[in-house]
Amino acid sequence: MENTATNSTQNAFSLTQEGPQGIRYDFNDGCRVYVPAGHWRVIIKDLDTHTVLFAQDVNDGFVQSAKRYYVRFGIEIRKDDKLVFSHEMDLKGQPVRIDMRKGGIGDHLAWFGHVAAFAQKHECDLTVDLRSDIRTLVQDEYPTLKLISEDTPEARYYATYTVLVFYNDDKLNHSPVDYREAGLEGNASSILGLSRISRPARITIGEGGRPIEEPYVVIASQASAQNKYWNNPFGWIKLIQELKARGYRVFCIDRERVTGQGTVWNHIPFGAEDKTGALPLSERARWIQHAEFFIGLSSGLSWLAWCVGTTPVVLISGFTRPENEFATPYRVINWHACNGCSNDIRCILDTSNYLWCPRHEGTPRQFECSRLIAPEQVMDIIKTIPNLLEGTP
């Protein structure tokens, strides 16, 4: 329980709540308490676990809890052995902020349902700082939440929480569970103190209804790092050939036709019709909603398909374990290959390395987790989707 006490007074008024005798406190970035010069005894508790987190004499300065995720803190301050101030944290009716702007599309969609549940549970006046494209996608579905995507004049929040993947949080101060073990949804629910159930975000679907009359499939083949790709060189080609032989048109709805770094570049799969470009997420959601099914990777558009909610999602990934993503009966992984490094606490992610493969980088086994996922395996799983067209495979 590493909590800190300092003797600096320069930021006393940055604490937003005022107590008696010059005491200040708030719950922005953990429990923060300031006491002026005097003989004080500061006690901080976790009210839900009945655990004393800090109990120490402080003559002048700050105390800040080590834990920055949601904890229902209690504060007691004594002076000359007399209780002069006590407070039990209660978010009801209070201005609260959740910061998740640094996350990617998949992160935001995995987290936002939990953020909304947090506001409902605590009945707080919640401001959410998030990506502008996600704000546009969800703002009409959550009119009681204040959604922002730009820096605003400093507000006086009672409490602030950051929902993010904390890569080097060895002491688990920012999340009670290591993100690799928590999975993407579990990361948010753990930070916000919620039960670990699935909570898809409600999203706005673009207008226009079904985009084409023929039966079609949408795919998303691009990702932010090479380990997320389906690295079987024949995977997409053979799969698309079979889908088209069965009577489906196949559309790629990635933002980019080509992505990569250095000497490694990934192109739109051969045979897919091109619907790439900077389309709003709501428009891509429209294409997903009316598709027979969606095929993607452990990346943002798969989470978008999950939020659409009515379209079967085929998810291909080997570098993550299935529990890292949302539940789908059409999850594809080859357990015989090396797998799951992203959820292995022994593997330290290097976000600067586009070719990160912690166990086999630079060897013939690099990216075998998805390279050894055969198109036949993917097709076998697709065949379990009800009402699949027979065609002439």
Side-chain angles (χ1 to χ4, degrees):
M1 303 176 192
E2 295 184 7
N3 304 281
T4 58
T6 67
N7 292 323
S8 171
T9 60
Q10 60 181 345
N11 293 318
F13 291 99
S14 67
L15 277 65
T16 62
Q17 310 300 306
E18 187 174 355
Q21 301 185 37
I23 295 169
R24 300 189 74 90
Y25 68 98
D26 65 23
F27 305 98
N28 293 295
D29 202 24
C31 178
R32 306 191 303 173
V33 176
Y34 167 77
V35 290
H39 300 290
W40 309 91
R41 180 76 172 177
V42 178
I43 301 169
I44 298 175
K45 300 177 180 179
D46 178 341
L47 297 174
D48 290 328
T49 64
H50 304 273
T51 303
V52 175
L53 304 175
F54 181 88
Q56 186 173 315
D57 293 332
V58 180
N59 293 325
D60 176 16
F62 287 91
V63 174
Q64 184 173 16
S65 67
K67 303 303 182 185
R68 310 301 169 86
Y69 51 82
Y70 174 81
V71 173
R72 194 167 69 91
F73 291 108
I75 302 170
E76 292 183 9
I77 301 178
R78 299 178 178 273
K79 187 175 185 181
D80 299 326
D81 292 327
K82 294 182 179 180
L83 180 65
V84 296
F85 176 71
S86 66
H87 180 80
E88 294 187 354
M89 188 182 83
D90 185 356
L91 303 184
K92 186 174 182 178
Q94 295 284 4
V96 177
R97 176 175 176 263
I98 291 179
D99 181 8
M100 50 186 271
R101 199 195 308 183
K102 291 182 180 180
I105 290 175
D107 299 330
H108 275 64
L109 292 175
W111 299 338
F112 194 84
H114 301 280
V115 169
F118 180 88
Q120 183 177 29
K121 175 180 178 179
H122 294 287
E123 301 180 45
C124 56
D125 180 12
L126 185 64
T127 296
V128 188
D129 192 349
L130 73 172
R131 293 169 53 117
S132 59
D133 52 356
I134 301 297
R135 175 174 53 81
T136 302
L137 187 67
V138 301
Q139 60 186 354
D140 290 343
E141 306 298 322
Y142 296 92
T144 61
L145 302 182
K146 182 180 180 182
L147 308 182
I148 61 173
S149 301
E150 63 285 324
D151 294 330
T152 58
E154 183 178 356
R156 307 294 285 177
Y157 295 107
Y158 176 80
T160 296
Y161 304 98
T162 299
V163 178
L164 194 63
V165 173
F166 294 99
Y167 292 115
N168 298 305
D169 187 21
D170 295 336
K171 296 181 179 179
L172 300 180
N173 286 332
H174 296 278
S175 174
V177 181
D178 190 290
Y179 79 93
R180 291 164 289 192
E181 296 180 296
L184 205 52
E185 272 201 279
N187 189 53
S189 59
S190 296
I191 290 171
L192 297 176
L194 300 172
S195 59
R196 292 190 61 178
I197 62 172
S198 193
R199 298 180 176 93
R202 300 191 302 273
I203 61 172
T204 297
I205 306 292
E207 297 180 352
R210 187 176 181 88
I212 64 171
E213 292 184 5
E214 303 99 312
Y216 71 92
V217 175
V218 287
I219 68 171
S221 66
Q222 302 286 14
S224 57
Q226 197 62 39
N227 52 25
K228 296 183 178 182
Y229 281 84
W230 186 12
N231 285 293
N232 185 317
F234 306 104
W236 285 114
I237 295 173
K238 290 186 175 181
L239 183 62
I240 290 170
Q241 286 175 344
E242 179 155 0
L243 291 174
K244 292 170 76 171
R246 286 179 174 270
Y248 295 106
R249 293 177 67 178
V250 181
F251 292 90
C252 180
I253 62 167
D254 288 304
R255 180 184 177 91
E256 305 294 339
R257 296 185 75 255
V258 182
T259 62
Q261 285 188 17
T263 60
V264 178
W265 293 88
N266 302 275
H267 296 252
I268 182 174
F270 181 78
E273 298 185 55
D274 190 350
K275 288 298 294 184
T276 63
L279 299 173
L281 290 173
S282 59
E283 174 63 8
R284 290 188 243 187
R286 179 172 77 101
W287 277 82
I288 293 170
Q289 183 183 51
H290 297 282
E292 303 305 311
F293 50 92
F294 168 91
I295 311 171
L297 313 171
S298 181
S299 59
L301 292 185
S302 292
W303 287 93
L304 180 65
W306 169 68
C307 289
V308 169
T310 56
T311 303
V313 179
V314 180
L315 197 157
I316 304 168
S317 180
F319 93 111
T320 58
R321 292 197 297 257
E323 60 267 26
N324 183 76
E325 293 91 25
F326 50 87
T328 171
Y330 312 113
R331 179 61 158 81
V332 188
I333 187 171
N334 185 347
W335 294 109
H336 299 291
C338 179
N339 64 79
C341 59
S342 180
N343 300 109
D344 185 344
I345 61 173
R346 298 167 296 183
C347 296
I348 307 300
L349 176 62
D350 180 0
T351 56
S352 66
N353 182 2
Y354 185 78
L355 301 177
W356 184 75
C357 179
R359 299 169 183 154
H360 302 300
E361 186 169 349
T363 76
R365 296 185 64 186
Q366 187 166 7
F367 302 135
E368 72 169 41
C369 58
S370 65
R371 195 162 38 80
L372 296 182
I373 294 176
E376 294 83 2
Q377 180 190 0
V378 179
M379 196 63 218
D380 285 345
I381 290 178
I382 289 173
K383 289 176 182 177
T384 66
I385 299 173
N387 304 315
L388 187 73
L389 292 182
E390 290 298 328
T392 55

